[in-house]
Structure formats: C-alpha cells, structure tokens
Amino acid sequence: MFSSQGDAEVFSRKGSVVSFARRWLALAPMLFAAACSQPTVPSQGIPSAGEWRTFEGAWSASGTRQTINLETNHRASIFDLTGSLLLVGEQRLGVGFEAQAIGFTDSLAGMQGRCVWTDEHGDKVYSKLKGEFVATGNHIVGTFLGGTGRYAGVTGEYSFQWRFIVESEDGTVSGRAVDLKGRARLDPAAVTPAGEHGK
C-alpha cells in the first residue's frame, strides 16, 4: 500500500512519463525510416547561363510583300513582317517578344532574311533566316547571331513552317509560324543580375 495519496500521485506521474518515453522510443525508428525513404524530387529550374535552353513558340505576324514575276514559273519577293512571338517551357529565353523579319525570296533560289526579337525590357535577339521560298508550308531555319543586354552573345537555332492566312492583291499579308522549336545558349558574361537589363 502507498504511504500517502501524494506518493500515489507521484508514482502515477512517473509511470505515465516512462510509458510515454517507451512509446516514443518505439515510434522514433519508424519515423526516421519513413523520412529517409522519401524520394528526392530533382529541381527543374531555369538552366544557368551557358547551358542549352530548348523552347517552343507561337509567332503571328502581318506586313507587306512585293512580288515581281520574272520568267515562267519564276518570281521574286521582298517582305517585311512584324508580330508577336510567345515562347513556352521552363527553359525559354523569355516569355514574349515583338518579332520583325525582313527578307528576299526567290522561287528558284530560296529565301534569305534577318529577324529581330525585342523583349519587354528592350533587349534584342538577332537571327538570320534561310529556307525555301516563303509560301504556305515551307520550312525555314533561323540561326541566332547575338543580341543586346542579356542576349549579347546568344547562340543557337530554331525552325518553323510558315503559313499565310491573308494574301491580298495590294501586298498586305499576315500569317503564322507552325511548329516553331529551337534551342539557345546565353553567354555567361552577358547575363546581368536579377532586375538589371541592358539596352
């Protein structure tokens, strides 16, 4: 028998503490094992400067085209198109650009052109265009030639097929790029700290 009610309460509290400690010691190894067994999710952040960035995009543009007929089944054109370019994917160069392209096409010799992408900060990406005569469905390849600000020294390439939506008699045209895909690599020396952009 206990000598007093106080001794009984003390013994009861000690018994509860011992019981709790035993339960915790039995549970701790299981919690540790569960924590160690959680799979590590790889980071899928933006690649650092100098690494290849792959992207896809949508480009719609309108402008003018002037065409002259040469000999039978032979014609040449100059074009000037401006529109919006949107890139998708975690590795894109940017979200949106204004894209302007000018060039010369020959139905026998193909197409040569130049293109400038300008982002919301005014930084530019330069590229040259080469491909088949610019008409619906023709394949075109762009090669990056550098740029300004964070795009200075950018390299890479992209490709797409062009589809005209509107072709009027006065030379007004509009269309869009289909299946635009590419890759680019930024020059580490040109990348500015967050919030700073070259012009």
Side-chain angles (χ1 to χ4, degrees):
M1 296 295 294
F2 297 111
S3 59
S4 68
Q5 184 176 358
D7 290 339
E9 290 177 355
V10 170
F11 183 82
S12 177
R13 287 197 297 271
K14 287 182 179 180
S16 298
V17 171
V18 171
S19 177
F20 174 78
R22 287 178 179 170
R23 286 197 300 268
W24 171 251
L25 289 175
L27 185 60
M30 290 185 289
L31 293 174
F32 180 76
C36 293
S37 64
Q38 293 297 319
T40 301
V41 178
S43 175
Q44 298 182 0
I46 301 298
S48 61
E51 295 182 355
W52 284 109
R53 299 165 180 246
T54 58
F55 59 85
E56 298 181 8
W59 180 17
S60 59
S62 61
T64 59
R65 180 180 60 180
Q66 299 180 11
T67 303
I68 59 172
N69 293 313
L70 301 172
E71 53 211 15
T72 304
N73 297 324
H74 185 191
R75 63 189 186 278
S77 303
I78 58 174
F79 63 87
D80 185 345
L81 300 171
T82 302
S84 299
L85 172 68
L86 298 176
L87 300 183
V88 297
E90 292 185 354
Q91 300 177 342
R92 60 183 181 256
L93 286 173
V95 177
F97 297 85
E98 178 187 65
Q100 180 178 16
I102 61 172
F104 170 79
T105 68
D106 184 290
S107 59
L108 299 182
M111 185 272 289
Q112 296 280 344
R114 295 294 184 269
C115 189
V116 180
W117 300 354
T118 306
D119 71 9
E120 69 274 20
H121 304 289
D123 292 344
K124 301 179 184 298
V125 182
Y126 306 130
S127 60
K128 64 179 180 180
L129 302 174
K130 185 176 182 180
E132 304 165 348
F133 181 75
V134 175
T136 296
N138 287 354
H139 188 257
I140 298 171
V141 175
T143 303
F144 293 122
L145 302 174
T148 64
R150 67 188 299 264
Y151 307 114
V154 64
T155 57
E157 62 279 326
Y158 59 98
S159 64
F160 59 92
Q161 290 187 343
W162 184 257
R163 291 186 180 173
F164 280 113
I165 306 300
V166 175
E167 298 180 80
S168 66
E169 293 182 358
D170 65 357
T172 300
V173 294
S174 64
R176 61 188 177 92
V178 177
D179 198 28
L180 191 155
K181 297 179 180 180
R183 66 175 189 161
R185 182 162 55 192
L186 296 176
D187 182 356
V191 177
T192 58
E196 297 180 13
H197 299 273
K199 298 293 181 182

